[in-house]
Amino acid sequence: MTVKQQLRMAAYRTFYRLPARWKRRIVRTFQPTYTVGAVILVRDPEATRILLLRQPPGAGWNLPAGLMDRGERPVQTAARELAEETGIKVPLDRFRPANPNAVVHTRGQWIDMVFETEVEPSDTFEIDGAEVIEAAWHRLDGLPPLTVSTSQLLAHYGIGPYKDYPEVLTK
């Protein structure tokens, strides 16, 4: 056994003898932390259009989304954010986890919990003017300019400009 292996073994033995509170603090100090949010892929019943938002600074369109509040379940975040950003209220049981449900962004250190739902399209929205400039339905075969992160996320579901680029899914 090398000296490096012996030191590593001693470090682990010491770590496992520490109180749980100290172990948690050490792990949180040295491990990356991730922010968790919920993203909602809202389609019309025929699955030909999706709901997109333009948010400040308005450089592209994206999906309704937001960060989880402490103690909130991801599906609750999805329902809350959709209602806050568009005025569309959907019961929790009408959201289903997308496949994949969690998309991990290691470079930006965030996790998107993605949910899908269908609603009847309407051209009237109760948008939150502080967060949203515009909300609109867009045909899947004619999407407007999307933000890069939205394009990358939609590629996981076979939608958008990056859907035919497998390297996007391995980032």
Side-chain angles (χ1 to χ4, degrees), residues 22-146:
W22 291 9
K23 286 190 281 190
R24 274 193 303 277
R25 182 167 290 179
I26 290 170
V27 168
R28 286 183 180 149
T29 300
F30 293 104
Q31 288 295 347
T33 57
Y34 282 78
T35 303
V36 180
V39 179
I40 310 94
L41 183 52
V42 184
R43 300 177 200 243
D44 66 342
E46 292 80 36
T48 59
R49 296 187 290 173
I50 60 172
L51 178 65
L52 295 172
L53 309 177
R54 209 162 51 84
Q55 295 177 294
W61 291 80
N62 51 35
L63 297 167
L67 298 176
M68 281 178 47
D69 287 340
R70 195 174 293 280
E72 193 174 42
R73 294 183 0 240
V75 71
Q76 292 170 318
T77 303
R80 176 179 53 79
E81 286 294 336
L82 183 60
E84 284 177 7
E85 293 178 349
T86 67
I88 298 172
K89 293 175 178 66
V90 176
L92 294 180
D93 63 353
R94 290 207 19 231
F95 287 91
R96 64 187 176 286
N99 185 13
N101 181 227
V103 177
V104 180
H105 306 273
T106 54
R107 286 203 177 129
Q109 294 186 298
W110 82 87
I111 300 170
D112 286 326
M113 302 299 296
V114 185
F115 294 90
E116 296 179 300
T117 191
E118 288 83 26
V119 299
E120 285 295 330
S122 168
D123 291 331
T124 58
F125 299 98
E126 295 173 30
I127 61 172
D128 174 358
E131 279 189 79
V132 178
I133 297 169
E134 182 180 6
W137 290 95
H138 295 275
R139 291 191 54 80
L140 291 172
D141 59 1
L143 294 174
L146 303 170

Side-chain angles (χ1 to χ4, degrees), residues 141-163:
D141 59 1
L143 294 174
L146 303 170
T147 63
V148 172
S149 60
T150 299
S151 295
Q152 291 172 340
L153 184 91
L154 286 174
H156 288 275
Y157 308 99
I159 301 171
Y162 295 160
K163 68 181 178 186

